[in-house]
């Protein structure tokens, strides 16, 4: 019979793999930025938000805060390094004014996390109290991060198109939420359960929207393609007429 600890480890490892895929998902964006040599209209906010979230979960999973949380510690530590790399690349390819804003926001995040660590380790003297304080902070910021797709979902409903909501990311977010919710329920960890169950629900909502508006998206893409071909044909006719007049 499979033990609870074995099940917990297996679910955590699967969750780690899916989370890693989510952390690496912006790679195509940064390849595009690297090729252009500029961040263009891309925003640094998603990467700064994810970095802050990862750093807070690293603090939560520290042995002196919440013991026996190695899987949470490893994936969020890796995630923090990945997101920090993205932020540094964003700074490197930003214009001067934008670069300054991102650097300030990054330093504020470091200072905030450092304050949390110092205050918790000095004022809270038991792991229960430390887990409660850091866990509550993690729930607050984790919920904000998982709620971020709401703006994209609103855009999908307004435009009746899922063109700007990739299916792979929605599916990965849903699967990630399921894995970490199961992991948290087995461990009876409310702080991990709340944000990840919300992430699972938002991921499911995105998949439902994708199924609802997939056909209308294809029709819109096809209409644009036909319109583009007609425009090209009209330009060719104009060129032919002009040539005949010459």
């Amino acid at each position: 019979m499979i033990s609870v600890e074995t099940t917990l480890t297996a679910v955590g490892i699967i969750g780690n793999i899916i989370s890693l895929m989510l952390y690496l998902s912006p790679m195509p964006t940064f390849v595009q930025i690297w090729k252009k040599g500029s961040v263009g209209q891309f925003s640094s906010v998603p990467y700064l938000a994810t970095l802050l979230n990862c750093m807070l979960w690293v603090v939560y999973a520290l042995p002196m805060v919440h013991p026996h949380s190695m899987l949470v510690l490893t994936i969020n530590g890796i995630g923090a390094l990945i997101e920090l790399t993205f932020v540094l690349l964003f700074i490197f390819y930003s214009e001067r004014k934008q670069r300054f804003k991102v650097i300030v926001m990054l330093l504020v995040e470091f200072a905030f996390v450092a304050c949390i660590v110092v205050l918790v380790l000095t004022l809270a003297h038991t792991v229960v109290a430390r887990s409660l304080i850091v866990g509550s902070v993690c729930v607050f910021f984790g919920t904000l991060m998982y709620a971020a797709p709401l703006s994209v979902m609103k855009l999908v409903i307004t435009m009746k198109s899922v063109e700007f909501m990739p299916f792979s990311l929605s599916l990965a977010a849903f699967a990630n939420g399921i894995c970490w919710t199961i992991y948290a329920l087995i461990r009876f960890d409310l702080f991990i359960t709340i944000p990840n169950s919300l992430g699972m629900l938002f991921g499911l909502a995105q998949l439902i929207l994708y199924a609802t508006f997939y056909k209308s998206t294809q029709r819109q893409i096809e209409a644009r393609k036909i319109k583009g071909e007609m425009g090209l044909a009209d330009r060719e006719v104009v060129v032919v007429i002009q040539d005949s007049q010459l």
Side-chain angles (χ1 to χ4, degrees):
M1 185 175 178
I2 301 175
S3 66
V4 173
E5 192 63 33
T6 302
T7 304
L8 184 67
T9 302
V11 172
I13 290 172
I14 295 171
N16 274 4
I17 293 171
I18 298 173
S19 295
L20 182 60
M21 291 168 59
L22 279 173
Y23 289 139
L24 292 173
S25 61
M27 280 293 291
T29 299
F30 280 90
V31 170
Q32 185 179 344
I33 289 172
W34 171 68
K35 288 181 178 179
K36 289 184 176 180
S38 171
V39 297
Q41 298 299 314
F42 289 110
S43 172
S44 62
V45 173
Y47 314 109
L48 287 165
T50 307
L51 173 61
L52 177 61
N53 189 63
C54 286
M55 290 193 294
L56 288 172
W57 281 112
V58 166
V59 176
Y60 177 80
L62 291 173
M64 66 284 289
V65 176
H66 195 76
H68 314 297
S69 301
M70 185 56 66
L71 288 171
V72 178
L73 179 62
T74 52
I75 188 56
N76 284 285
I78 293 170
L81 290 175
I82 292 171
E83 297 303 323
L84 179 59
T85 301
F86 288 153
V87 172
L88 292 176
L89 285 171
F90 201 96
I91 291 171
F92 183 79
Y93 287 108
S94 296
E95 294 181 359
R96 186 174 180 178
K97 186 177 179 180
Q98 189 178 24
R99 183 182 297 125
F100 178 74
K101 288 182 179 180
V102 177
I103 291 174
V104 169
M105 292 172 69
L106 181 62
L107 292 177
V108 168
E109 287 191 358
F110 285 151
F112 176 72
V113 174
C115 286
I116 293 288
V117 172
V118 172
L119 290 174
V120 166
L121 294 181
T122 55
L123 299 180
H125 302 293
T126 65
V127 292
V128 174
R130 291 169 180 173
S131 296
L132 176 62
I133 296 168
V134 181
S136 299
V137 176
C138 287
V139 167
F140 177 74
F141 285 99
T143 301
L144 289 180
M145 192 187 77
Y146 278 118
L150 286 174
S151 59
V152 178
M153 292 165 66
K154 181 182 177 182
L155 181 66
V156 168
I157 295 170
T158 303
M159 298 181 63
K160 293 182 171 50
S161 171
V162 294
E163 191 173 354
F164 300 105
M165 189 178 72
F167 175 78
S168 56
L169 288 182
S170 300
L171 181 61
F174 177 60
N176 185 66
I178 289 177
C179 285
W180 285 111
T181 299
I182 294 172
Y183 175 90
L185 289 173
I186 294 173
R187 289 201 61 181
F188 301 104
D189 192 324
L190 186 63
F191 299 118
I192 298 178
T193 304
I194 293 173
N196 283 285
S197 59
L198 287 174
M200 178 182 67
L201 292 174
F202 286 136
L204 177 61
Q206 290 177 53
L207 292 176
I208 292 172
L209 285 177
Y210 200 93
T212 303
F213 294 113
Y214 177 78
K215 289 184 178 179
S216 63
T217 303
Q218 297 304 309
R219 287 196 295 268
Q220 290 180 33
I221 293 172
E222 189 63 28
R224 286 204 305 268
K225 188 184 296 184
I226 294 172
K227 187 176 180 181
E229 290 174 353
M230 289 176 63
L232 180 61
D234 290 341
R235 285 196 296 271
E236 289 176 349
V237 169
V238 171
V239 171
V240 171
I241 293 173
Q242 289 176 341
D243 288 345
S244 64
Q245 289 176 345
L246 294 175

